[in-house]
Amino acid sequence: MWVAAAAVLLVSIGESAAQPKSGETAARPKQILFLHSYGPNFQQAAAWSGEIRNELNRRSPWPLDIHEQSLVTARNGDDAAEAKFVEYLKALYAQRPPDLIVAIFAPAARFVQQHRPDLFPATPMLLAVVEERRVEQSALSEQDAVVGVRFDEAALVQNILRLLPETKTIAMIIGNSPNERFWAAEQQRILGRLLENKVELRFYNERPFGEILQQVASLPPHSAIFFLVLAVDGAGAVYGDKEPLKRISEVANAPIFTFDLSHFNGEIVGGPMFSADEGARPIAAVALRMLAGEKGSDIKVSPVGFSTPKYDWRQLKRWNISESRLPPGSEIWFREPTAWERYSWQIALIAAVMLMQAGFITILLNAHRRRRLAEAESGQRMAELVHVNRFSTAGELTASIAHEINQPLGSILSNAETAQEILKSSSPDIVELNEIVGDIVRDDRRAAEVIRRVRSLLRKTPFELKSLDLNDLARETIEFLSSLAVRRKIELVGVNAPDALPILGDRIQLQQVILNLVVNGIDAMMDTPAENRVISIRTSRVEGFAELSVSDLGPGIPEDKLKEIFEPFFTSKPEGMGMGLSIASTIIAAHRGLIQAKNRDHGGASFEIKLPLVRR
């Protein structure tokens, strides 16, 4: 009896020790549901979900239980099957709904947004790797967050044309599922307008995969292939998990490009691409914040863009693409080791012996050649200084002429395009064509005159000063810029002084100053709401001066930069040369005038020009 009592006591003590103390609960894993659009075995999906899973496990303070389900109905858009899938998910997680749902790619995002009330209305949802255009913002709840991607079609095509400038045909490889049909239409809409019939786009989304292989094997010269995604071919066969890209590369007679680094395995030339490794970091960070209880609608994350351009050294060699054509900062992968990397110590030993021999020979010859070498170096340095000075002057002149001639050339292009459209009609208007040709001739002469006058200014030759009315000059400028203003959705407001403002000046150069100021104002209001895009051009008489002001409603000029904006090469625009305001200041000074800039009290910047009045 005593032995039995002791055994019962020991068991009781053990059970008490094994139970959690009062107020404590065992740590329960956070349950996450990964919802795939096509399936986890699809190459791109596997890359992204794998990186997201790794990042979550690495950073999570809790144990995680990650489930993966696939929306196979995304392949054919079967609504009836989709309803059954909703019932399946509800039954599967009836006892314990997930703590977080992560929808990967657009079809899964559309599914969870559409069926949220029937699935898990209280469960937070994270839409991941979804392009901005595919997110239904109106369907997002307070518990939802988005970490999307920004797909830049223009950058991808520009990469192809940068590496292969003679490209005439681009074969677009994309499938025929509902999501792929959407993207095929988007590429036709955006790229068709961008390329303007200069490059032919060929789409194969409605063809079986076997026919696609035949087509890419017989593309015409100067072709390129762009692989987007091939989940379902035109015959309804599923290929996303069967390495379609590898099979295409085996028969293709043109270089292949893509947009996702998961495809960068030896078949792709390269360029700007999405990186699952980089994109998984913000996705995992948002997921952990939501698991910690933070409301999804309060989490705002910028869309994931393309990573640093990456290129396959082997493909560059195969297609004879020079590395000099690659964008600055590009990364080159799979480069084969050089002879130095293979035989470094042997080469170093031979080089050391040769250097010792060369050293002895150099010592013997150095005394004899020292004076002659010094004289030769002196002459060479003088020649280099003259050469650099000549190039510096030529560069400054070229930049100035290029900046000043931009406006008349733009007008010539606009008139030429208009004439082309008129000529396409069955009965072109000859009178209007004559007027357009006259405008082109006038602008051409004006461009030639600008070049002559700018060169004259830089050489400090006398101006050709004539009597002008500043009011007339302002009116002409507004008329000249009217078409640009309409295209850029800008309202130009001209307010002229009631009386004439006679000045002595060069019409072309003064008009160019006004044009520069107005165009700068237009560029400054790119991000301004449409209803506030107003530029005012006012003239007035102030004592013995004619005054002209150009004001905008943009962000204004930083106070610490007001004194620098007229300096050469100072610019706030990424594509600017920094010559416009410097040239304007030089022209106004040559007219014995004054130009200054200031910020307006109610927003925007204002440039004021003062020129001395003359008597008529």
Side-chain angles (χ1 to χ4, degrees):
M1 292 179 61
W2 286 107
V3 172
V8 171
L9 180 62
L10 288 173
V11 171
S12 176
I13 294 173
E15 291 179 350
S16 299
Q19 293 179 353
K21 298 178 181 179
S22 177
E24 293 183 357
T25 57
R28 189 173 71 167
K30 297 284 187 179
Q31 185 169 276
I32 303 175
L33 171 59
F34 278 15
L35 184 59
H36 293 278
S37 291
Y38 298 107
N41 294 328
F42 281 50
Q43 184 175 351
Q44 188 181 4
W48 279 90
S49 63
E51 292 294 344
I52 296 171
R53 176 192 289 269
N54 293 339
E55 194 69 17
L56 283 171
N57 288 327
R58 187 179 66 84
R59 299 174 58 177
S60 175
W62 319 281
L64 299 177
D65 181 13
I66 299 177
H67 298 190
E68 300 193 41
Q69 298 290 339
S70 299
L71 182 68
V72 294
T73 56
R75 304 174 186 179
N76 52 24
D78 188 343
D79 294 337
E82 191 168 282
K84 295 294 184 180
F85 185 59
V86 172
E87 295 178 4
Y88 166 74
L89 290 178
K90 289 173 63 176
L92 187 63
Y93 296 98
Q95 297 301 319
R96 182 191 170 189
D99 296 300
L100 176 67
I101 297 176
V102 179
I104 301 176
F105 301 145
R110 182 205 62 81
F111 173 82
V112 295
Q113 287 192 280
Q114 182 176 352
H115 298 287
R116 181 187 182 89
D118 299 326
L119 283 169
F120 317 107
T123 299
M125 295 189 182
L126 172 58
L127 310 186
V129 206
V130 184
E131 215 283 333
E132 297 173 296
R133 284 164 278 185
R134 301 294 279 158
V135 177
E136 296 183 18
Q137 298 290 340
S138 60
L140 294 174
S141 74
E142 291 186 351
Q143 300 179 76
D144 301 338
V146 179
V147 181
V149 295
R150 179 172 292 128
F151 188 82
D152 188 351
E153 294 92 341
L156 297 170
V157 172
Q158 288 167 0
N159 173 64
I160 296 176
L161 299 181
R162 180 187 185 113
L163 270 60
L164 304 168
E166 297 181 357
T167 301
K168 300 299 181 185
T169 304
I170 299 179
M172 307 294 290
I173 306 300
I174 190 169
N176 204 39
S177 66
N179 183 58
E180 290 169 307
R181 287 196 295 271
F182 168 85
W183 283 113
E186 279 291 282
Q187 305 316 300
Q188 290 174 329
R189 179 180 67 84
I190 296 174
L191 297 181
R193 183 173 62 247
L194 175 67
L195 297 174
E196 296 180 341
N197 299 321
K198 298 177 181 176
V199 177
E200 178 190 3
L201 296 176
R202 296 186 179 182
F203 288 83
Y204 306 112
N205 54 300
E206 296 181 355
R207 303 187 183 187
F209 186 62
E211 188 174 339
I212 293 175
L213 293 178
Q214 295 176 2
Q215 293 293 327
V216 297
S218 58
L219 290 170
H222 306 300
S223 294
I225 300 172
F226 190 82
F227 183 87
L228 283 92
V229 63
L230 183 55
V232 181
D233 72 355
V238 178
Y239 281 93
D241 56 351
K242 299 181 178 65
E243 298 185 329
L245 177 58
K246 183 177 181 180
R247 296 175 62 183
I248 290 172
S249 69
E250 291 172 351
V251 300
N253 67 342
I256 306 175
F257 298 82
T258 191
F259 70 97
D260 197 283
L261 199 59
S262 62
H263 300 306
F264 195 55
N265 296 316
E267 300 87 10
I268 302 299
V269 174
M273 294 175 282
F274 292 123
S275 168
D277 178 46
E278 297 177 10
R281 298 169 196 164
I283 293 173
V286 172
L288 294 175
R289 291 170 64 181
M290 297 175 73
L291 288 172
E294 192 169 346
K295 187 184 297 183
S297 59
D298 293 337
I299 303 175
K300 305 298 180 184
V301 180
S302 299
V304 177
F306 294 137
S307 65
T308 302
K310 299 171 180 61
Y311 296 90
D312 189 324
W313 182 85
R314 300 164 299 182
Q315 292 291 320
L316 294 177
K317 295 300 180 184
R318 176 186 178 186
W319 301 107
N320 196 27
I321 300 174
S322 172
E323 294 184 21
S324 63
R325 295 181 181 176
L326 306 184
S330 299
E331 299 178 8
I332 300 179
W333 290 16
F334 313 117
R335 189 189 296 274
E336 294 182 359
T338 62
W340 169 256
E341 293 169 337
R342 292 179 178 177
Y343 311 106
S344 57
W345 72 269
Q346 295 96 329
I347 296 175
L349 179 60
I350 295 172
V353 173
M354 295 179 65
L355 284 174
M356 290 177 62
Q357 293 177 345
F360 285 120
I361 296 173
T362 302
I363 292 173
L364 295 174
L365 297 175
N366 185 53
H368 177 69
R369 297 182 178 180
R370 186 175 298 168
R371 178 171 296 181
R372 294 176 59 186
L373 181 59
E375 293 175 355
E377 287 181 352
S378 176
Q380 182 179 358
R381 288 173 188 253
M382 180 61 68
E384 288 176 353
L385 286 175
V386 173
H387 184 70
V388 170
N389 182 65
R390 183 166 65 251
F391 265 69
S392 176
T393 303
E396 180 179 354
L397 181 60
T398 302
S400 301
I401 293 175
H403 190 281
E404 296 299 320
I405 204 172
N406 186 52
Q407 293 296 335
L409 287 182
S411 180
I412 289 173
L413 176 60
S414 177
N415 278 311
E417 290 175 344
T418 303
Q420 284 181 330
E421 293 299 323
I422 294 175
L423 289 172
K424 290 179 182 178
S425 66
S426 57
S427 55
D429 189 336
I430 302 303
V431 175
E432 187 171 357
L433 285 173
N434 283 331
E435 292 177 357
I436 290 174
V437 172
D439 290 341
I440 292 174
V441 171
R442 185 190 71 241
D443 288 325
D444 181 81
R445 291 174 178 170
R446 182 171 178 274
E449 184 68 11
V450 167
I451 295 175
R452 189 181 68 83
R453 297 292 175 80
V454 171
R455 293 180 63 187
S456 174
L457 173 65
L458 293 177
R459 292 176 181 173
K460 298 184 179 180
T461 55
F463 294 122
E464 293 186 12
L465 302 177
K466 296 181 180 179
S467 180
L468 305 172
D469 185 350
L470 190 58
N471 285 333
D472 293 340
L473 203 61
R475 277 192 293 268
E476 289 178 8
T477 305
I478 293 175
E479 292 176 0
F480 181 76
L481 290 168
S482 59
S483 60
L484 175 63
V486 171
R487 187 167 61 253
R488 299 285 290 274
K489 298 180 180 179
I490 300 292
E491 180 183 359
L492 293 181
V493 178
V495 180
N496 286 347
D499 299 326
L501 299 175
I503 60 173
L504 199 61
D506 185 299
R507 174 180 295 273
I508 293 178
Q509 291 194 8
L510 290 177
Q511 189 177 56
Q512 198 66 36
V513 171
I514 303 173
L515 288 173
N516 285 346
L517 298 180
V518 174
V519 171
N520 284 348
I522 291 175
D523 292 340
M525 293 192 295
M526 289 179 59
D527 298 326
T528 302
E531 63 272 12
N532 293 334
R533 294 180 184 174
V534 180
I535 291 182
S536 302
I537 304 173
R538 299 175 180 270
T539 61
S540 59
R541 182 188 295 263
V542 181
E543 297 178 351
F545 291 89
E547 183 176 285
L548 182 142
S549 66
V550 177
S551 306
D552 62 63
L553 294 177
I557 306 168
E559 293 295 332
D560 58 336
K561 303 297 184 183
L562 281 173
K563 295 181 180 180
E564 303 177 31
I565 60 174
F566 294 107
E567 296 293 328
F569 306 112
F570 175 86
T571 180
S572 61
K573 296 184 288 187
E575 72 280 5
M577 293 186 293
M579 295 298 298
L581 291 177
S582 175
I583 293 173
S585 176
T586 303
I587 291 174
I588 297 302
H591 285 77
R592 296 187 299 168
L594 176 67
I595 182 171
Q596 58 183 2
K598 64 180 182 180
N599 285 316
R600 306 170 70 186
D601 295 336
H602 53 283
S606 179
F607 288 82
E608 296 180 353
I609 297 171
K610 289 185 178 181
L611 297 169
L613 290 166
V614 296
R615 294 182 180 180
R616 296 207 173 192

